[in-house]
Short mmCIF file of all heavy atoms in Angstrom, two decimals:
data_model
loop_
_atom_site.label_atom_id
_atom_site.label_comp_id
_atom_site.label_asym_id
_atom_site.label_seq_id
_atom_site.Cartn_x
_atom_site.Cartn_y
_atom_site.Cartn_z
N THR A 1 -17.83 -278.75 49.64
CA THR A 1 -16.87 -278.62 48.53
C THR A 1 -17.42 -279.23 47.24
O THR A 1 -16.72 -279.26 46.22
CB THR A 1 -15.55 -279.34 48.89
OG1 THR A 1 -15.81 -280.71 49.17
CG2 THR A 1 -14.91 -278.69 50.11
N PHE A 2 -18.64 -279.71 47.29
CA PHE A 2 -19.27 -280.32 46.13
C PHE A 2 -19.55 -279.27 45.06
O PHE A 2 -20.17 -278.24 45.34
CB PHE A 2 -20.57 -281.00 46.54
CG PHE A 2 -21.31 -281.66 45.41
CD1 PHE A 2 -20.92 -282.90 44.96
CD2 PHE A 2 -22.39 -281.04 44.81
CE1 PHE A 2 -21.60 -283.53 43.92
CE2 PHE A 2 -23.08 -281.65 43.77
CZ PHE A 2 -22.68 -282.90 43.32
N GLN A 3 -19.07 -279.51 43.81
CA GLN A 3 -19.30 -278.58 42.71
C GLN A 3 -20.50 -279.04 41.91
O GLN A 3 -20.51 -280.14 41.35
CB GLN A 3 -18.06 -278.48 41.81
CG GLN A 3 -18.18 -277.37 40.78
CD GLN A 3 -16.88 -277.15 40.03
OE1 GLN A 3 -15.95 -277.95 40.14
NE2 GLN A 3 -16.80 -276.06 39.27
N LEU A 4 -21.52 -278.18 41.86
CA LEU A 4 -22.78 -278.55 41.23
C LEU A 4 -22.62 -278.79 39.73
O LEU A 4 -23.10 -279.78 39.19
CB LEU A 4 -23.82 -277.46 41.49
CG LEU A 4 -25.27 -277.79 41.13
CD1 LEU A 4 -25.75 -278.99 41.92
CD2 LEU A 4 -26.16 -276.58 41.38
N PHE A 5 -21.94 -277.88 39.04
CA PHE A 5 -21.72 -277.99 37.61
C PHE A 5 -20.23 -277.86 37.32
O PHE A 5 -19.72 -276.75 37.20
CB PHE A 5 -22.50 -276.91 36.85
CG PHE A 5 -23.99 -277.03 36.96
CD1 PHE A 5 -24.71 -276.16 37.77
CD2 PHE A 5 -24.69 -278.00 36.25
CE1 PHE A 5 -26.08 -276.25 37.88
CE2 PHE A 5 -26.06 -278.10 36.35
CZ PHE A 5 -26.76 -277.23 37.17
N PRO A 6 -19.51 -278.98 37.20
CA PRO A 6 -18.08 -278.92 36.87
C PRO A 6 -17.86 -278.30 35.50
O PRO A 6 -18.67 -278.46 34.58
CB PRO A 6 -17.64 -280.39 36.89
CG PRO A 6 -18.69 -281.09 37.70
CD PRO A 6 -19.96 -280.35 37.44
N ILE A 7 -16.76 -277.57 35.36
CA ILE A 7 -16.51 -276.84 34.11
C ILE A 7 -15.49 -277.53 33.21
O ILE A 7 -15.20 -277.02 32.12
CB ILE A 7 -16.03 -275.40 34.41
CG1 ILE A 7 -14.74 -275.42 35.21
CG2 ILE A 7 -17.11 -274.63 35.15
CD1 ILE A 7 -14.15 -274.05 35.45
N SER A 8 -14.94 -278.65 33.62
CA SER A 8 -13.97 -279.35 32.77
C SER A 8 -13.95 -280.83 33.12
O SER A 8 -14.50 -281.25 34.13
CB SER A 8 -12.57 -278.76 32.94
OG SER A 8 -12.10 -278.95 34.26
N ARG A 9 -13.34 -281.59 32.21
CA ARG A 9 -13.20 -283.05 32.28
C ARG A 9 -14.51 -283.75 31.92
O ARG A 9 -15.53 -283.12 31.69
CB ARG A 9 -12.68 -283.51 33.64
CG ARG A 9 -11.24 -283.07 33.92
CD ARG A 9 -10.76 -283.61 35.25
NE ARG A 9 -11.55 -283.09 36.38
CZ ARG A 9 -11.41 -283.50 37.64
NH1 ARG A 9 -10.53 -284.45 37.93
NH2 ARG A 9 -12.14 -282.99 38.60
N TRP A 10 -14.42 -285.09 31.84
CA TRP A 10 -15.54 -285.91 31.38
C TRP A 10 -15.61 -287.15 32.25
O TRP A 10 -15.01 -288.17 31.97
CB TRP A 10 -15.34 -286.28 29.90
CG TRP A 10 -16.49 -286.98 29.27
CD1 TRP A 10 -16.62 -288.31 29.05
CD2 TRP A 10 -17.68 -286.38 28.76
NE1 TRP A 10 -17.81 -288.60 28.43
CE2 TRP A 10 -18.49 -287.42 28.23
CE3 TRP A 10 -18.16 -285.08 28.68
CZ2 TRP A 10 -19.71 -287.19 27.65
CZ3 TRP A 10 -19.38 -284.84 28.10
CH2 TRP A 10 -20.15 -285.89 27.59
N GLU A 11 -16.35 -287.05 33.34
CA GLU A 11 -16.39 -288.15 34.30
C GLU A 11 -17.82 -288.60 34.54
O GLU A 11 -18.33 -289.46 33.83
CB GLU A 11 -15.71 -287.71 35.61
CG GLU A 11 -14.22 -287.41 35.42
CD GLU A 11 -13.53 -286.97 36.70
OE1 GLU A 11 -14.18 -286.98 37.76
OE2 GLU A 11 -12.33 -286.61 36.64
N SER A 12 -18.50 -288.03 35.53
CA SER A 12 -19.86 -288.47 35.85
C SER A 12 -20.88 -287.62 35.07
O SER A 12 -20.53 -286.78 34.24
CB SER A 12 -20.10 -288.34 37.35
OG SER A 12 -19.97 -287.00 37.77
N PHE A 13 -22.16 -287.86 35.37
CA PHE A 13 -23.23 -287.17 34.65
C PHE A 13 -23.15 -285.65 34.82
O PHE A 13 -23.46 -284.90 33.89
CB PHE A 13 -24.59 -287.68 35.16
CG PHE A 13 -25.76 -286.94 34.58
CD1 PHE A 13 -26.18 -287.16 33.28
CD2 PHE A 13 -26.46 -286.00 35.35
CE1 PHE A 13 -27.26 -286.47 32.74
CE2 PHE A 13 -27.53 -285.31 34.82
CZ PHE A 13 -27.93 -285.55 33.52
N ARG A 14 -22.73 -285.19 35.99
CA ARG A 14 -22.65 -283.75 36.23
C ARG A 14 -21.72 -283.05 35.24
O ARG A 14 -21.95 -281.91 34.87
CB ARG A 14 -22.16 -283.47 37.66
CG ARG A 14 -23.12 -283.88 38.75
CD ARG A 14 -22.60 -283.49 40.12
NE ARG A 14 -21.36 -284.18 40.45
CZ ARG A 14 -20.19 -283.58 40.59
NH1 ARG A 14 -20.09 -282.27 40.42
NH2 ARG A 14 -19.11 -284.28 40.90
N TYR A 15 -20.68 -283.76 34.81
CA TYR A 15 -19.71 -283.18 33.89
C TYR A 15 -20.26 -283.03 32.47
O TYR A 15 -19.67 -282.31 31.65
CB TYR A 15 -18.44 -284.04 33.86
CG TYR A 15 -17.64 -284.01 35.13
CD1 TYR A 15 -18.00 -284.81 36.22
CD2 TYR A 15 -16.52 -283.20 35.27
CE1 TYR A 15 -17.28 -284.79 37.40
CE2 TYR A 15 -15.79 -283.18 36.44
CZ TYR A 15 -16.17 -283.98 37.50
OH TYR A 15 -15.44 -283.96 38.67
N THR A 16 -21.34 -283.71 32.17
CA THR A 16 -21.88 -283.71 30.81
C THR A 16 -22.95 -282.65 30.58
O THR A 16 -23.31 -282.40 29.43
CB THR A 16 -22.47 -285.08 30.48
OG1 THR A 16 -23.64 -285.31 31.29
CG2 THR A 16 -21.47 -286.20 30.76
N ILE A 17 -23.46 -282.04 31.65
CA ILE A 17 -24.62 -281.15 31.51
C ILE A 17 -24.27 -279.89 30.71
O ILE A 17 -24.91 -279.57 29.70
CB ILE A 17 -25.17 -280.77 32.90
CG1 ILE A 17 -25.67 -282.02 33.62
CG2 ILE A 17 -26.29 -279.75 32.76
CD1 ILE A 17 -26.13 -281.77 35.04
N LEU A 18 -23.25 -279.17 31.14
CA LEU A 18 -22.90 -277.90 30.48
C LEU A 18 -22.44 -278.10 29.04
O LEU A 18 -22.93 -277.39 28.14
CB LEU A 18 -21.86 -277.16 31.30
CG LEU A 18 -22.30 -276.67 32.68
CD1 LEU A 18 -21.18 -275.85 33.34
CD2 LEU A 18 -23.56 -275.83 32.59
N PRO A 19 -21.50 -279.02 28.74
CA PRO A 19 -21.10 -279.17 27.34
C PRO A 19 -22.22 -279.68 26.44
O PRO A 19 -22.30 -279.28 25.27
CB PRO A 19 -19.94 -280.17 27.41
CG PRO A 19 -20.06 -280.85 28.72
CD PRO A 19 -20.67 -279.85 29.64
N SER A 20 -23.10 -280.52 26.95
CA SER A 20 -24.21 -281.01 26.14
C SER A 20 -25.17 -279.88 25.80
O SER A 20 -25.64 -279.78 24.66
CB SER A 20 -24.97 -282.12 26.89
OG SER A 20 -24.13 -283.22 27.15
N PHE A 21 -25.44 -279.01 26.76
CA PHE A 21 -26.32 -277.88 26.49
C PHE A 21 -25.67 -276.91 25.51
O PHE A 21 -26.32 -276.39 24.60
CB PHE A 21 -26.67 -277.17 27.79
CG PHE A 21 -27.61 -276.01 27.62
CD1 PHE A 21 -28.97 -276.23 27.47
CD2 PHE A 21 -27.15 -274.70 27.59
CE1 PHE A 21 -29.84 -275.17 27.30
CE2 PHE A 21 -28.01 -273.64 27.42
CZ PHE A 21 -29.37 -273.87 27.27
N ALA A 22 -24.36 -276.64 25.69
CA ALA A 22 -23.66 -275.72 24.80
C ALA A 22 -23.63 -276.25 23.37
O ALA A 22 -23.75 -275.48 22.41
CB ALA A 22 -22.24 -275.49 25.31
N LEU A 23 -23.46 -277.55 23.21
CA LEU A 23 -23.41 -278.14 21.88
C LEU A 23 -24.78 -278.27 21.25
O LEU A 23 -24.92 -278.18 20.03
CB LEU A 23 -22.74 -279.52 21.96
CG LEU A 23 -22.52 -280.27 20.65
CD1 LEU A 23 -21.61 -279.47 19.72
CD2 LEU A 23 -21.92 -281.65 20.91
N GLY A 24 -25.81 -278.45 22.06
CA GLY A 24 -27.14 -278.71 21.53
C GLY A 24 -28.01 -277.50 21.31
O GLY A 24 -29.05 -277.62 20.63
N LEU A 25 -27.64 -276.32 21.85
CA LEU A 25 -28.52 -275.17 21.74
C LEU A 25 -28.72 -274.74 20.29
O LEU A 25 -29.84 -274.38 19.89
CB LEU A 25 -27.97 -274.00 22.57
CG LEU A 25 -28.87 -272.76 22.62
CD1 LEU A 25 -30.23 -273.12 23.22
CD2 LEU A 25 -28.23 -271.64 23.42
N GLY A 26 -27.67 -274.76 19.49
CA GLY A 26 -27.82 -274.41 18.08
C GLY A 26 -28.77 -275.35 17.35
O GLY A 26 -29.56 -274.91 16.52
N SER A 27 -28.71 -276.63 17.69
CA SER A 27 -29.62 -277.60 17.07
C SER A 27 -31.05 -277.40 17.55
O SER A 27 -32.00 -277.60 16.79
CB SER A 27 -29.16 -279.03 17.40
OG SER A 27 -27.85 -279.26 16.91
N ILE A 28 -31.21 -277.00 18.81
CA ILE A 28 -32.55 -276.69 19.33
C ILE A 28 -33.18 -275.58 18.50
O ILE A 28 -34.36 -275.65 18.13
CB ILE A 28 -32.49 -276.28 20.81
CG1 ILE A 28 -32.15 -277.48 21.69
CG2 ILE A 28 -33.82 -275.69 21.27
CD1 ILE A 28 -32.01 -277.13 23.15
N ALA A 29 -32.40 -274.56 18.22
CA ALA A 29 -32.91 -273.43 17.44
C ALA A 29 -33.36 -273.87 16.05
O ALA A 29 -34.45 -273.50 15.58
CB ALA A 29 -31.83 -272.36 17.33
N THR A 30 -32.56 -274.69 15.39
CA THR A 30 -32.90 -275.16 14.04
C THR A 30 -34.16 -276.02 14.06
O THR A 30 -35.07 -275.84 13.24
CB THR A 30 -31.73 -275.95 13.45
OG1 THR A 30 -30.56 -275.12 13.42
CG2 THR A 30 -32.05 -276.42 12.05
N ILE A 31 -34.21 -276.98 14.98
CA ILE A 31 -35.36 -277.89 15.05
C ILE A 31 -36.63 -277.13 15.43
O ILE A 31 -37.72 -277.39 14.89
CB ILE A 31 -35.08 -279.02 16.05
CG1 ILE A 31 -33.93 -279.89 15.56
CG2 ILE A 31 -36.33 -279.88 16.28
CD1 ILE A 31 -33.48 -280.94 16.55
N THR A 32 -36.53 -276.18 16.35
CA THR A 32 -37.69 -275.39 16.77
C THR A 32 -38.28 -274.62 15.60
O THR A 32 -39.50 -274.64 15.36
CB THR A 32 -37.30 -274.43 17.90
OG1 THR A 32 -36.84 -275.18 19.03
CG2 THR A 32 -38.50 -273.59 18.32
N ARG A 33 -37.45 -273.92 14.88
CA ARG A 33 -37.95 -273.13 13.73
C ARG A 33 -38.55 -274.03 12.66
O ARG A 33 -39.61 -273.71 12.09
CB ARG A 33 -36.80 -272.31 13.15
CG ARG A 33 -36.26 -271.24 14.08
CD ARG A 33 -35.09 -270.52 13.45
NE ARG A 33 -35.49 -269.84 12.22
CZ ARG A 33 -34.63 -269.30 11.36
NH1 ARG A 33 -33.33 -269.41 11.58
NH2 ARG A 33 -35.05 -268.68 10.28
N LEU A 34 -37.89 -275.14 12.38
CA LEU A 34 -38.39 -276.04 11.34
C LEU A 34 -39.69 -276.70 11.76
O LEU A 34 -40.64 -276.80 10.96
CB LEU A 34 -37.32 -277.10 11.04
CG LEU A 34 -37.61 -278.04 9.87
CD1 LEU A 34 -37.76 -277.26 8.58
CD2 LEU A 34 -36.49 -279.06 9.74
N MET A 35 -39.77 -277.15 13.02
CA MET A 35 -40.98 -277.79 13.50
C MET A 35 -42.14 -276.80 13.54
O MET A 35 -43.29 -277.16 13.21
CB MET A 35 -40.73 -278.38 14.89
CG MET A 35 -41.83 -279.29 15.39
SD MET A 35 -41.92 -280.80 14.41
CE MET A 35 -43.47 -281.49 14.99
N ARG A 36 -41.87 -275.59 13.92
CA ARG A 36 -42.92 -274.56 13.98
C ARG A 36 -43.49 -274.29 12.60
O ARG A 36 -44.72 -274.30 12.40
CB ARG A 36 -42.36 -273.27 14.58
CG ARG A 36 -43.32 -272.09 14.57
CD ARG A 36 -42.64 -270.84 15.09
NE ARG A 36 -43.53 -269.68 15.06
CZ ARG A 36 -43.72 -268.91 13.99
NH1 ARG A 36 -43.08 -269.18 12.86
NH2 ARG A 36 -44.55 -267.88 14.05
N SER A 37 -42.63 -274.05 11.62
CA SER A 37 -43.12 -273.75 10.27
C SER A 37 -43.82 -274.95 9.65
O SER A 37 -44.83 -274.81 8.94
CB SER A 37 -41.94 -273.32 9.38
OG SER A 37 -40.97 -274.34 9.28
N SER A 38 -43.29 -276.16 9.91
CA SER A 38 -43.92 -277.36 9.37
C SER A 38 -45.29 -277.60 10.01
O SER A 38 -46.26 -277.97 9.32
CB SER A 38 -43.01 -278.56 9.60
OG SER A 38 -43.56 -279.73 9.04
N MET A 39 -45.40 -277.37 11.31
CA MET A 39 -46.68 -277.53 12.00
C MET A 39 -47.71 -276.53 11.49
O MET A 39 -48.88 -276.87 11.27
CB MET A 39 -46.49 -277.36 13.50
CG MET A 39 -46.06 -278.61 14.23
SD MET A 39 -47.40 -279.82 14.43
CE MET A 39 -48.49 -278.94 15.55
N LEU A 40 -47.30 -275.28 11.29
CA LEU A 40 -48.23 -274.27 10.79
C LEU A 40 -48.74 -274.63 9.39
O LEU A 40 -49.90 -274.38 9.06
CB LEU A 40 -47.54 -272.91 10.75
CG LEU A 40 -47.25 -272.26 12.12
CD1 LEU A 40 -46.47 -270.97 11.95
CD2 LEU A 40 -48.56 -271.99 12.87
N ASP A 41 -47.87 -275.24 8.59
CA ASP A 41 -48.29 -275.66 7.25
C ASP A 41 -49.28 -276.81 7.32
O ASP A 41 -50.27 -276.86 6.58
CB ASP A 41 -47.07 -276.04 6.42
CG ASP A 41 -47.43 -276.48 5.02
OD1 ASP A 41 -47.95 -275.65 4.25
OD2 ASP A 41 -47.21 -277.66 4.69
N VAL A 42 -49.03 -277.77 8.22
CA VAL A 42 -49.91 -278.93 8.35
C VAL A 42 -51.26 -278.53 8.92
O VAL A 42 -52.31 -279.04 8.48
CB VAL A 42 -49.23 -280.01 9.23
CG1 VAL A 42 -50.22 -281.12 9.58
CG2 VAL A 42 -48.03 -280.59 8.53
N ILE A 43 -51.25 -277.64 9.90
CA ILE A 43 -52.50 -277.23 10.54
C ILE A 43 -53.49 -276.64 9.54
O ILE A 43 -54.71 -276.79 9.67
CB ILE A 43 -52.20 -276.21 11.67
CG1 ILE A 43 -51.51 -276.93 12.84
CG2 ILE A 43 -53.47 -275.52 12.15
CD1 ILE A 43 -51.06 -276.00 13.94
N SER A 44 -52.98 -275.98 8.51
CA SER A 44 -53.86 -275.33 7.53
C SER A 44 -54.36 -276.27 6.44
O SER A 44 -55.10 -275.84 5.55
CB SER A 44 -53.12 -274.15 6.88
OG SER A 44 -51.97 -274.62 6.19
N GLN A 45 -53.96 -277.55 6.48
CA GLN A 45 -54.37 -278.49 5.44
C GLN A 45 -55.84 -278.88 5.59
O GLN A 45 -56.41 -278.84 6.69
CB GLN A 45 -53.49 -279.74 5.49
CG GLN A 45 -52.02 -279.49 5.22
CD GLN A 45 -51.77 -278.96 3.82
OE1 GLN A 45 -52.38 -279.42 2.85
NE2 GLN A 45 -50.87 -277.99 3.71
N ASP A 46 -56.44 -279.30 4.48
CA ASP A 46 -57.87 -279.63 4.47
C ASP A 46 -58.17 -280.87 5.29
O ASP A 46 -59.25 -280.97 5.91
CB ASP A 46 -58.34 -279.84 3.02
CG ASP A 46 -58.34 -278.55 2.22
OD1 ASP A 46 -58.43 -277.48 2.85
OD2 ASP A 46 -58.24 -278.61 0.97
N TYR A 47 -57.25 -281.86 5.31
CA TYR A 47 -57.57 -283.09 6.04
C TYR A 47 -57.61 -282.86 7.55
O TYR A 47 -58.25 -283.62 8.28
CB TYR A 47 -56.59 -284.21 5.68
CG TYR A 47 -55.15 -283.96 6.08
CD1 TYR A 47 -54.69 -284.30 7.35
CD2 TYR A 47 -54.26 -283.42 5.18
CE1 TYR A 47 -53.37 -284.09 7.71
CE2 TYR A 47 -52.93 -283.20 5.52
CZ TYR A 47 -52.49 -283.54 6.79
OH TYR A 47 -51.19 -283.31 7.14
#
């Protein structure tokens, strides 16, 4: 009867996985694009 990924409430670590991923995916997209473009700019520098 153990539920691997609970879909509601805020109790143990298992309850935090799905909402944390849902809230953080948009930020992942922003950071990924920004880090990629910034890295490409740095890689082409003379130093």
Side-chain angles (χ1 to χ4, degrees):
T1 58
F2 179 80
Q3 189 172 10
L4 190 60
F5 295 106
I7 60 175
S8 64
R9 293 183 297 173
W10 187 260
E11 297 180 5
S12 61
F13 174 76
R14 293 184 297 114
Y15 291 81
T16 68
I17 297 175
L18 295 184
S20 299
F21 182 79
L23 183 61
L25 184 60
S27 300
I28 290 177
T30 302
I31 295 174
T32 299
R33 294 178 62 190
L34 186 60
M35 191 67 191
R36 175 184 178 275
S37 60
S38 183
M39 275 285 294
L40 289 176
D41 180 64
V42 170
I43 289 174
S44 62
Q45 297 297 319
D46 291 336
Y47 65 87

